[in-house]
């Protein structure tokens, strides 16, 4: 049952990626929406779950928040290291050059997150059918945002469409694989909480330092701001309905 429900997440992820592909003539709106979706996922979904699962303090600060900051800094350092390596190999330093590896790394992190979503579905069905369906609805609803963001991030950093589609399909298959894996083992709650905190920091960096500035670079329009607010509001709606 868990694997069957995860197929819904597979389809919804592909729908999100397909939507991102079809609206390339409104790229600033796509990026604005992606930034809002990522902001909502981090602030309204990942961080609350991380704090609940990993409640221990380290020198007066919740461990989940320390990992959140660590994820933000890790993404910042990785981007600059890859950008410098690209420049050393002859890439033009025109202020707009981006390292494609950053996009692939970020998309891979999205795939890892979708894998965890599938595991969450499987674990919830182990508790009971009602719990499993509730978690599945939440995962399927926000997998539209996952597919949308995976395709957008991969493309934003200059990767070919073929690679963006490849990462989109990997992200779509991940929940199915994750749900199937729970037939063999489950992830300790504290480990899951630490992962969610770290991943939240990575996503916030991408949204705040890359996606949103790019969205407003050429089209600082109110419509872009509205798409960002709608993206965050959509995640709020999903979280509220799931609760």
């Amino acid at each position: 049952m868990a694997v069957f429900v995860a197929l819904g997440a597979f389809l919804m992820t592909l729908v999100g990626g397909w939507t991102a592909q079809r609206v390339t003539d409104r790229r600033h709106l796509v990026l604005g929406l992606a930034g809002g979706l990522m902001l909502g996922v981090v602030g309204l979904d990942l961080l609350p779950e991380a704090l609940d699962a990993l409640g221990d303090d380290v020198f007066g600060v919740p461990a989940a928040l320390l990992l959140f900051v660590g994820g933000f800094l890790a993404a910042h350092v990785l981007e600059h290291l890859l950008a410098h390596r690209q420049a050393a190999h002859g890439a033009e330093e025109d202020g707009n050059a981006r390292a494609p590896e950053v996009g692939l790394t970020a998309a891979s992190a999205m795939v890892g997150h979708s894998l965890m979503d599938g595991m969450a579905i499987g674990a919830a069905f182990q508790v009971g059918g009602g719990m499993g369906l509730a978690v599945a609805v939440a995962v399927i609803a926000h997998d539209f945002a996952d597919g949308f963001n995976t395709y957008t991030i991969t493309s934003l950093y200059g990767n070919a469409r073929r690679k963006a589609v490849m990462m989109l399909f990997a992200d779509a298959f991940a929940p199915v694989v994750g749900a199937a894996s729970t037939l063999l083992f489950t992830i300790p709650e504290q480990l899951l909480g630490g992962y969610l905190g770290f991943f939240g920091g990575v996503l916030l960096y991408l949204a705040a330092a890359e996606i949103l500035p790019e969205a407003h670079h050429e089209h600082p329009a109110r419509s872009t701001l509205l798409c960002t607010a709608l993206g965050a509001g959509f995640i709020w709606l999903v979280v509220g309905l799931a609760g």
Side-chain angles (χ1 to χ4, degrees):
M1 183 63 180
V3 176
F4 177 77
V5 170
L7 290 174
F10 168 84
L11 293 175
M12 189 60 74
T13 302
L14 292 183
V15 170
W18 179 84
T19 302
Q21 292 183 61
R22 300 297 294 179
V23 291
T24 51
D25 57 332
R26 293 288 185 270
R27 185 169 180 269
H28 60 293
L29 299 181
V30 172
L31 294 174
L33 180 62
L37 290 170
M38 293 167 73
L39 176 62
V41 167
V42 172
L44 306 177
D45 186 16
L46 297 183
L47 272 183
E49 288 187 25
L51 289 168
D52 285 342
L54 190 64
D56 297 335
D57 285 2
V58 178
F59 202 62
V61 177
L65 293 184
L66 289 176
L67 287 167
F68 171 76
V69 173
F72 188 99
L73 292 175
H76 179 59
V77 170
L78 177 63
E79 182 185 29
H80 281 273
L81 288 176
L82 291 175
H84 287 156
R85 190 183 75 172
Q86 184 184 37
H89 283 77
E92 294 183 4
E93 297 184 272
D94 59 1
N96 294 316
R98 297 179 185 275
E101 297 92 339
V102 175
L104 292 175
T105 301
S108 298
M110 295 294 294
V111 173
H113 176 57
S114 293
L115 185 70
M116 295 291 186
D117 281 346
M119 291 180 177
I121 293 175
F125 270 100
Q126 290 177 358
V127 174
M131 174 67 74
L133 287 175
V135 172
V137 168
V139 169
I140 290 172
H142 95 255
D143 270 351
F144 174 87
D146 285 352
F148 192 98
N149 289 335
T150 298
Y151 186 89
T152 301
I153 290 171
T154 308
S155 301
L156 177 65
Y157 281 86
N159 289 286
R161 181 178 180 276
R162 176 179 59 82
K163 290 186 177 180
V165 171
M166 179 185 69
M167 296 308 300
L168 173 63
F169 271 90
D171 190 45
F173 276 111
V176 180
V177 176
S181 71
T182 58
L183 299 175
L184 304 175
F185 63 89
T186 56
I187 299 178
E189 185 179 16
Q190 286 197 327
L191 180 61
L192 179 61
Y195 163 78
L196 292 175
F198 187 86
F199 180 63
V202 171
L203 274 192
L204 183 63
Y205 176 81
L206 292 173
E210 299 294 332
I211 302 292
L212 291 177
E214 184 72 14
H216 293 277
H217 177 62
E218 296 181 358
H219 297 275
R222 293 179 181 177
S223 56
T224 308
L225 289 172
L226 178 60
C227 283
T228 302
L230 287 174
F234 173 75
I235 299 299
W236 184 15
L237 176 64
V238 169
V239 172
L241 291 175

